């Protein structure tokens, strides 16, 4: 069934604890996407959750839970307010307990093994083996539960995941050791079984911690709003209400030192606001009546009253949290490559182990020795390092960008950003400040102002906002303009006293073209002229991007003189003026046909087609809602340095991913032939395999630094 924009869709969140790897995530998404009534399904490996958009008339959450159960995954409804961090902490504590048990058992079994290696024979050796087994077997049963449960669910659903060869290797090592002990054999590998689990659990815990970093940052930010607010009632009385009970239009009072509980506009008082949690700017900003503030910001100096404009899931904080969540869900080309490689790799692991057993048994006729070599092959070839290569890097990069005030709308954009070879900027509101200065306008008593105020209030274009702000400052009462329509790239049109009035590009609003904005009303033309200042760090950002070998260009709907002035100030040679949205789109399509990969940076409604069509795109938080929806990244700082920062992190993340792939490839190229040749024992195989996984994680953790 096709889901068009008129279909009402509900969002269903499910907790899937058994989803432990990229392969699991892909299978869960495919399972739900194939269900009737499901429009889309996106899994979040970090939170072990999956979100599905469903047609409530065709399916329900219970049907989704049933579908996942048939695929081998337990699922239950997920409420972020009840689970979230507590669920993550529970998983982390469980892994730490199992690491402790496996480590304690491994230490004691290794001490006993030293005695065997030192020459203990006969009944003494057998006693040491029995004691080792009594220590190791309960530890294997307890510490191996995450792997055994995952493998069992996969096999009952007739599929394979990475925990299947891991579980098989541990069980074979333990079973072979028991058999060797029962027949008074010279060697047992209880130490290999518990050491394998010890190192695997360390790797899984490190992965859990790195994945939790971005999620915990978002959760901590969300927690900054507190739990209650002081509501001001219409009669002036105050009452304490829960945050989730706030509604738009309510008035709340915020004392100095309190966090702002919801998005809104100040209606009383004056204070300094610490916006660092949202914008990353460390210096406080003065906020007076009319200032817009957001949930999570800190009121520093004065008591103020706020009229609520957005609550709960509609606040900027909630939007940031959703961006972080979406960033973890997305997968790029390297993620999909690793996923496919791991999917093929698992059956290959079993084939190599079987080949080693058959080959060595045929050559020597010793089933015990052949089994030892097969177990070593099975252990050493577990594809954990390969599976961790991309997700760990991707999660840490997302967390680093989050701390810099840069949020991903889709995780695949990170890889796309690393591959760009050209950066294209919009001018107004992007390279220049979002709010230009009005330097020439009609006199305050001019009859053009009421119509201009009404038309400007209907648009989010920076020039319109400047006119509206100036009209409010002059005390202008907007005219009763009706039938307001905004034409992207042109301006705003309406009807006043039966006549059409227009505010926008001079060539559109009047018969003659020229700089600035024109207002046509009652057969008259009024002109508004603006001055622009470069956005903070704009020139430094352009210089830095150029030094990295990226070509720069400006695509603007403004007039040629204004565009050339900004181009000269930033050192950008390619600058196109008077471009409509369709012109920008055509220009980008032409670059794509040439093989160019373009990063588009824009903020206006007229930039949204170009933002969506570009190889990658970034918008400031001050951009229009449509532009922010189309962009892959959103940054909250006032400066433009976030563009260069995001590009640097993306390139560094790609480098770490490729390095991790290289580590996994080199490890397998060396370890597999040695194991097949019988040169590696199961214990050495356990240490080598776990060591490669830990090395990949440590390589990803380097992203937390500055280089």
């Amino acid at each position: 069934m096709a889901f068009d924009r008129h279909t009402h869709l509900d969002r269903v969140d499910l907790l899937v604890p058994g989803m432990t790897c990229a392969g699991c995530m892909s299978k869960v998404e495919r399972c739900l996407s194939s269900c009737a009534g499901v429009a889309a399904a996106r899994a979040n490996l970090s939170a072990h959750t999956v979100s599905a958009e469903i047609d409530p008339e065709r399916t329900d959450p219970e049907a989704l839970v049933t579908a996942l159960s048939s695929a081998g995954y337990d699922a239950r409804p997920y409420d972020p307010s009840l689970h979230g961090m507590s669920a993550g902490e529970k998983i982390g504590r469980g892994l730490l307990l199992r690491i402790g048990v496996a480590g304690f058992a491994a230490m004691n079994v290794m001490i006993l093994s030293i005695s065997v290696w030192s020459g203990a024979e006969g009944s003494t050796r057998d006693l040491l083996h029995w004691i080792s087994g009594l220590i190791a077997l309960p530890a294997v049963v307890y510490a191996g539960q995450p792997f055994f449960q995952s493998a069992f669910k996969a096999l009952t659903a007739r599929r394979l995941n990475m925990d299947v060869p891991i579980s098989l290797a541990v069980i074979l090592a333990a079973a072979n050791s028991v058999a060797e002990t029962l027949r008074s054999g010279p060697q047992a590998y209880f130490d290999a079984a518990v050491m394998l689990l010890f190192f695997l659990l360390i790797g899984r815990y490190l992965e859990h911690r790195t994945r939790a970093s971005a999620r915990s940052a978002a959760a901590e930010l969300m927690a900054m709003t507190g739990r209650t607010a002081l509501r001001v009632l219409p009669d002036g009385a105050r009452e304490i209400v829960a945050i989730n009970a706030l509604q738009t239009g309510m008035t709340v009072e915020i004392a100095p030192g309190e966090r702002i509980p919801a998005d809104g506009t100040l209606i009383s008082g004056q204070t300094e606001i610490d916006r660092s949690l949202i914008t990353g700017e460390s210096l406080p900003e003065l906020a007076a009546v009319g200032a817009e503030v957001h949930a999570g910001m800190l009121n520093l100096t004065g008591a103020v009253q706020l009229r609520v404009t957005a609550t709960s899931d509609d606040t900027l904080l909630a939007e940031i949290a959703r961006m972080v969540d979406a960033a973890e869900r997305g997968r790029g080309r390297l993620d999909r490559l690793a996923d496919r490689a791991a999917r093929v790799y698992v059956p290959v692991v079993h084939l190599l182990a079987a080949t080693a057993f058959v080959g060595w048994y045929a050559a020597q006729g010793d089933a015990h020795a052949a089994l030892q070599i097969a177990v070593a092959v099975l252990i050493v070839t577990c594809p954990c390092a390969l599976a961790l290569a991309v997700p760990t890097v991707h999660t840490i990069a997302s967390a680093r960008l989050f701390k810099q005030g840069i949020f991903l709308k889709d995780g695949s954009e990170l890889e796309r950003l690393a591959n760009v070879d050209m950066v294209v900027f919009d001018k107004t509101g992007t390279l220049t400040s979002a709010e230009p200065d009005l330097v020439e306008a009609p006199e305050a008593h001019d009859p053009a102002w009421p119509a201009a105020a009404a038309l400007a209030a209907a648009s989010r274009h920076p020039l319109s906002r400047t006119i509206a702000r100036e009209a409010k400052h002059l005390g202008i009462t907007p005219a009763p303009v009706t039938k307001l329509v905004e034409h992207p790239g042109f301006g705003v049109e309406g009807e006043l006293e039966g006549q059409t009035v227009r505010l926008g590009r001079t060539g559109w609003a009047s018969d003659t073209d020229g700089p600035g904005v024109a207002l046509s009303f009652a057969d008259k033309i009024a002109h508004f002229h603006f001055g622009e200042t470069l956005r903070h760090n704009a020139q430094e950002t352009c210089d830095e991007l150029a030094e990295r070998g990226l070509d720069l260009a400006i695509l603007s709907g403004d007039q040629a003189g204004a565009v050339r002035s900004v181009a000269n100030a930033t050192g950008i040679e390619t600058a196109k003026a008077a471009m409509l949205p369709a012109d920008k789109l055509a220009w980008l399509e032409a670059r794509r046909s040439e093989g160019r990969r373009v990063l588009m940076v824009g903020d206006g409604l007229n930039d949204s087609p170009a933002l969506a069509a570009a190889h990658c795109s970034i918008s400031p938080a001050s951009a229009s809602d449509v532009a922010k929806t189309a962009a892959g990244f959103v940054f909250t700082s006032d400066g433009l340095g976030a563009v260069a920062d995001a590009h640097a992190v993306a390139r560094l993340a790609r480098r770490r991913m490729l390095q991790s792939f290289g580590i996994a490839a080199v490890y397998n190229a060396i370890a597999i032939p040695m194991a097949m040749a019988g040169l590696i024992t199961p214990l050495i195989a356990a240490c080598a395999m776990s060591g490669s996984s830990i090395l990949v994680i440590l390589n990803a953790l380097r992203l937390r630094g500055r280089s």
Side-chain angles (χ1 to χ4, degrees):
M1 173 183 175
F3 292 84
D4 59 34
R5 61 188 180 91
H6 299 292
T7 303
H8 172 69
L9 299 177
D10 288 345
R11 172 172 168 167
V12 174
D13 293 313
L14 299 175
L15 187 66
V16 189
M19 185 170 57
T20 58
C21 65
C24 294
M25 184 166 65
S26 178
K27 292 181 178 69
V28 166
E29 289 178 350
R30 288 200 302 270
C31 174
L32 292 184
S33 297
S34 64
C35 295
V38 177
R42 297 298 297 273
N44 186 327
L45 187 57
S46 301
H48 298 283
T49 61
V50 60
S51 295
E53 294 183 0
I54 67 169
D55 180 355
E57 296 182 357
R58 303 188 61 214
T59 190
D60 54 39
E62 184 177 353
L64 304 187
V65 170
T66 302
L68 287 175
S69 178
S70 65
Y73 294 97
D74 292 332
R76 57 182 181 270
Y78 171 71
D79 182 352
S81 64
L82 299 178
H83 296 84
M85 289 300 295
S86 60
E89 289 175 354
K90 184 177 180 180
I91 293 172
R93 285 196 300 268
L95 289 173
L96 282 175
L97 284 173
R98 287 177 169 81
I99 289 173
V101 169
F104 176 80
M107 178 180 63
N108 285 277
V109 172
M110 286 294 293
I111 292 174
L112 296 171
S113 298
I114 291 174
S115 300
V116 175
W117 299 340
S118 299
E121 295 182 351
S123 59
T124 302
R125 180 192 62 208
D126 293 344
L127 178 62
L128 293 173
H129 281 168
W130 279 112
I131 296 174
S132 297
L134 290 174
I135 296 172
L137 292 177
V140 166
V141 172
Y142 175 72
Q145 284 183 16
F147 307 102
F148 300 155
Q149 292 173 357
S150 174
F152 178 76
K153 291 177 181 177
L155 292 174
T156 54
R158 297 182 180 181
R159 58 181 178 82
L160 294 174
N161 65 8
M162 289 180 294
D163 290 332
V164 172
I166 290 173
S167 300
L168 185 59
V170 172
I171 292 171
L172 283 177
N176 190 41
S177 299
V178 171
E180 186 74 0
T181 302
L182 288 172
R183 73 181 188 92
S184 298
Q187 293 181 332
Y189 290 97
F190 292 115
D191 49 3
V194 290
M195 286 290 287
L196 172 61
L197 286 174
F198 178 65
F199 285 116
L200 281 171
L201 287 167
I202 289 176
R204 185 152 291 187
Y205 179 74
L206 287 175
E207 179 190 4
H208 169 75
R209 291 302 305 162
T210 54
R211 287 187 173 281
S213 59
R215 187 175 69 255
S216 62
E220 288 170 8
L221 192 59
M222 289 296 294
M224 291 296 182
T225 57
R227 292 289 179 268
T228 60
L230 185 63
R231 181 190 175 192
V232 180
L233 299 175
D235 61 2
R238 270 70 167 167
E239 68 172 355
I240 297 177
V241 297
I243 292 293
N244 56 14
L246 290 177
Q247 298 178 5
T248 57
M250 286 184 176
T251 299
V252 295
E253 189 169 276
I254 304 110
E258 288 185 343
R259 294 281 177 185
I260 294 173
D263 291 0
T265 303
L266 296 187
I267 59 173
S268 174
Q270 180 172 299
T271 186
E272 288 186 315
I273 297 291
D274 180 356
R275 301 176 180 265
S276 58
L277 284 173
I278 304 297
T279 66
E281 299 293 335
S282 58
L283 294 177
E285 296 182 14
L286 182 66
V289 174
E292 293 185 1
V293 293
H294 298 283
M297 292 180 176
L298 180 63
N299 180 23
L300 294 176
T301 56
V304 293
Q305 290 187 359
L306 171 82
R307 177 168 290 117
V308 176
T309 58
T311 63
S312 188
D313 290 341
D314 297 326
T315 64
L316 179 60
L317 268 179
E319 183 180 354
I320 290 172
R322 286 192 292 270
M323 289 180 187
V324 173
D325 186 59
E328 289 190 334
R329 295 176 186 179
R331 294 197 298 276
R333 182 179 56 85
L334 290 177
D335 296 85
R336 293 189 293 271
L337 177 61
D339 190 14
R340 288 195 297 269
R343 201 159 50 234
V344 173
Y345 197 62
V346 171
V348 170
V349 167
H350 295 97
L351 179 61
L352 287 174
T355 301
F357 176 81
V358 172
W360 279 96
Y361 182 73
Q364 295 184 346
D366 187 344
H368 176 265
L371 183 59
Q372 294 294 329
I373 294 172
V375 170
V377 171
L378 199 61
I379 294 173
V380 86
T381 54
C382 287
C384 296
L386 179 65
L388 292 172
V390 174
T392 50
V393 171
H394 182 241
T395 301
I396 294 171
S398 299
R400 178 169 170 175
L401 289 173
F402 178 87
K403 291 177 181 178
Q404 294 177 276
I406 305 167
F407 309 105
L408 283 76
K409 300 292 289 298
D410 186 336
S412 63
E413 292 285 336
L414 189 67
E415 183 183 330
R416 298 167 72 87
L417 179 58
N419 294 326
V420 300
D421 55 20
M422 173 180 280
V423 183
V424 172
F425 295 95
D426 171 52
K427 181 183 71 67
T428 304
T430 303
L431 281 172
T432 62
S433 59
E435 301 292 346
D437 296 325
L438 185 61
V439 296
E440 183 180 341
E443 296 293 332
H445 55 76
D446 193 295
W449 268 111
L455 292 167
S459 171
R460 293 199 61 183
H461 191 281
L463 299 183
S464 294
R465 288 201 298 262
T466 299
I467 294 174
R469 186 177 67 246
E470 182 65 17
K472 184 176 181 180
H473 175 72
L474 294 173
I476 303 297
T477 300
V481 179
T482 60
K483 299 181 181 180
L484 290 163
V485 178
E486 184 166 14
H487 301 275
F490 294 96
V492 184
E493 183 179 67
E495 187 173 303
L496 176 62
E497 297 177 355
Q499 292 186 330
T500 298
V501 289
R502 284 181 171 181
L503 177 71
R505 293 164 58 106
T506 54
W508 176 71
S510 64
D511 294 334
T512 59
D513 206 351
V517 168
L519 170 72
S520 62
F521 75 107
D523 298 327
K524 298 178 182 178
I525 303 295
H527 292 276
F528 299 82
H529 296 282
F530 303 85
E532 293 181 306
T533 56
L534 288 179
R535 185 184 280 266
H536 179 61
N537 286 339
Q539 185 173 352
E540 293 85 347
T541 298
C542 292
D543 292 342
E544 187 173 349
L545 293 173
E547 289 175 0
R548 296 176 189 172
L550 302 176
D551 294 331
L552 306 181
I554 298 175
L555 301 183
S556 175
D558 209 344
Q559 303 303 312
V563 174
R564 177 47 55 191
S565 175
V566 172
N568 292 337
T570 54
I572 298 177
E573 295 183 0
T574 303
K576 304 293 183 180
M579 298 195 79
L580 300 177
D583 299 328
K584 294 182 180 182
L585 187 60
W587 194 90
L588 288 176
E589 293 291 348
R591 302 293 80 73
R592 177 185 294 176
S593 65
E594 296 171 358
R596 306 302 300 268
R597 296 181 294 273
V598 178
L599 166 64
M600 178 70 195
V601 187
D603 75 314
L605 179 65
N606 60 332
D607 296 319
S608 55
L611 290 167
H615 185 73
C616 183
S617 53
I618 300 179
S619 283
S622 58
S624 67
D625 292 338
V626 176
K628 287 188 290 186
T629 299
F633 293 79
V634 175
F635 63 89
T636 59
S637 61
D638 291 333
L640 204 60
V643 176
D645 292 341
H647 180 252
V649 171
R651 293 208 307 182
L652 188 59
R654 180 182 60 181
R655 193 181 312 154
R656 294 287 180 264
M657 291 179 194
L658 295 176
Q659 288 171 351
S660 296
F661 273 129
I663 291 170
V666 170
Y667 160 76
N668 283 291
I670 296 173
I672 292 176
M674 292 182 67
M676 296 286 288
L679 301 176
I680 296 178
T681 65
L683 177 59
I684 295 175
C687 296
M689 188 277 295
S690 300
S692 67
S693 298
I694 293 173
L695 191 59
V696 164
I697 292 173
L698 293 176
N699 181 57
L701 287 172
R702 294 166 60 203
L703 263 172
R704 288 183 171 177
R706 294 184 177 274
S707 60

